[in-house]
Structure formats: C-alpha cells, structure tokens
Amino acid sequence: MSLPEFSHIVKLSEIGAKPKTGTLVADEEERQALCKRFDLPKIASLTAQYRLTGGDRGFAFTGQLESDLQQSCAITGEAFPIQVREKFDILFIARADPDDLEEEIELTEEECDVVEYENAQIDLGEAIAQTLYLALEPFPRGPNADDVARKKGLKSEEEAGPFGALAALKGKLG
C-alpha cells in the first residue's frame, strides 16, 4: 500500500511522557498531489502547528491548520482564492481487532474526530489532509456566482427554499 500524499508518520515509541509539538508544512509536490486528490485548482500553502500527547484513551493531536488555496465555483467553474484556518482536535486510538468486536459501534458527534491507527504508528500528515478536506465548502460559490446564476435564470437559495415558495404564493394572493 502506498503512503498518502502528505504522510508524516510518527512511531508511538517516539512519543514520550512530555507533549510533542511541531509544525508540518506541505511542500510543492505534496500540495500538487493533494490538489489532484481533492480536485482543487491550487494549494499555495498548507501548514499545521500541533501538539501531540499520549493518554489513557489514545494520542491527542491538537492544533491549527492554515491553508491558502483555490476552489472552483460550483456555478461558474472559475477558480477563486480562499483561506482555511481550522482548529483540530483528533484522538488516535488503536484499531480494534474485528474478531474482538461483539456488536456494531455507533459514534456520537463528539467522537467524529477519532482516527484509528495500526502497526504502532500514526500519520499526522494524513490527519491534517483529511481535516483540510472536511473544512472546504462542499458547493463553493465564487464572486461571480450570483451574477451568472441570475443571467442563466437559476433561483437563489432563498428563492428555491421553502420560504421562497411561500413568498411566491403570497405574491399571488395579494
């Protein structure tokens, strides 16, 4: 199995009693590979300041990522710049043996930032890459989106929603 584009492996034996702090910076090649994976026009920078500590439940990985990148507008397809500033709080836990699981486990909202590890190592870079992807707007609208949508006769979110339908009915009544 090949490593992810922005892989920064830390062996559990390297994590001592004291918290480990540091900075992860994606180089040009890593950023280009992430662009391809996430279908982004450009990632100009990707940096994460972090703190890694061991505990009873697992390894806490906290900090903030910062990225200057471009997304493609969902309406026009034009690339436009955005800045992502996202705090993260991830708990790495040992992957459970499927044979040891007695029943299906449901995760609560608080447990959504749990990442399993195996082979006594964790990948900080992949956790940062996934955090970046989750911070992106799923249907980004660029600066020209409203003008193009209006010219093509597309309804705005307000007009297309339930209150927009009610407003249209109100206009017919009065």
Side-chain angles (χ1 to χ4, degrees):
M1 188 169 111
S2 65
L3 290 175
E5 304 86 351
F6 185 49
S7 185
H8 288 273
I9 303 289
V10 174
K11 294 178 183 174
L12 300 186
S13 61
E14 297 173 4
I15 305 170
K18 288 184 178 179
K20 182 176 183 161
T21 60
T23 303
L24 296 176
V25 180
D27 64 26
E28 179 68 27
E29 185 177 320
E30 292 166 327
R31 293 192 314 267
Q32 285 181 5
L34 287 170
C35 283
K36 186 174 182 180
R37 176 176 167 193
F38 298 148
D39 194 25
L40 295 170
K42 182 178 184 179
I43 298 176
S45 66
L46 173 57
T47 304
Q49 303 288 332
Y50 71 88
R51 178 182 174 101
L52 181 63
T53 54
D56 294 337
R57 290 187 46 204
F59 297 89
F61 181 50
T62 58
Q64 179 164 328
L65 76 82
E66 297 184 2
S67 183
D68 294 319
L69 56 91
Q70 291 181 356
Q71 276 193 281
S72 296
C73 176
I75 304 291
T76 66
E78 297 173 327
F80 65 97
I82 66 163
Q83 291 184 329
V84 175
R85 305 294 183 257
E86 186 78 15
K87 291 184 186 283
F88 58 89
D89 187 356
I90 298 168
L91 179 66
F92 287 99
I93 61 171
R95 181 170 302 226
D97 184 352
D99 296 333
D100 293 342
L101 296 176
E102 295 178 14
E103 59 187 65
E104 193 171 312
I105 299 171
E106 288 192 36
L107 297 177
T108 64
E109 188 173 321
E110 295 82 38
E111 295 173 311
C112 287
D113 292 323
V114 174
V115 176
E116 292 182 331
Y117 67 85
E118 55 188 349
N119 302 325
Q121 59 187 17
I122 55 181
D123 191 340
L124 304 182
E126 177 59 13
I128 293 300
Q130 290 179 17
T131 300
L132 173 65
Y133 184 72
L134 291 173
L136 296 175
E137 184 66 40
F139 299 102
R141 294 175 66 97
N144 299 322
D146 291 338
D147 290 339
V148 171
R150 200 171 14 263
K151 287 177 186 172
K152 292 188 177 206
L154 300 174
K155 292 183 178 181
S156 70
E157 290 181 36
E158 294 81 22
E159 294 169 328
F163 295 110
L166 290 174
L169 287 175
K170 182 180 176 184
K172 291 181 180 180
L173 293 174

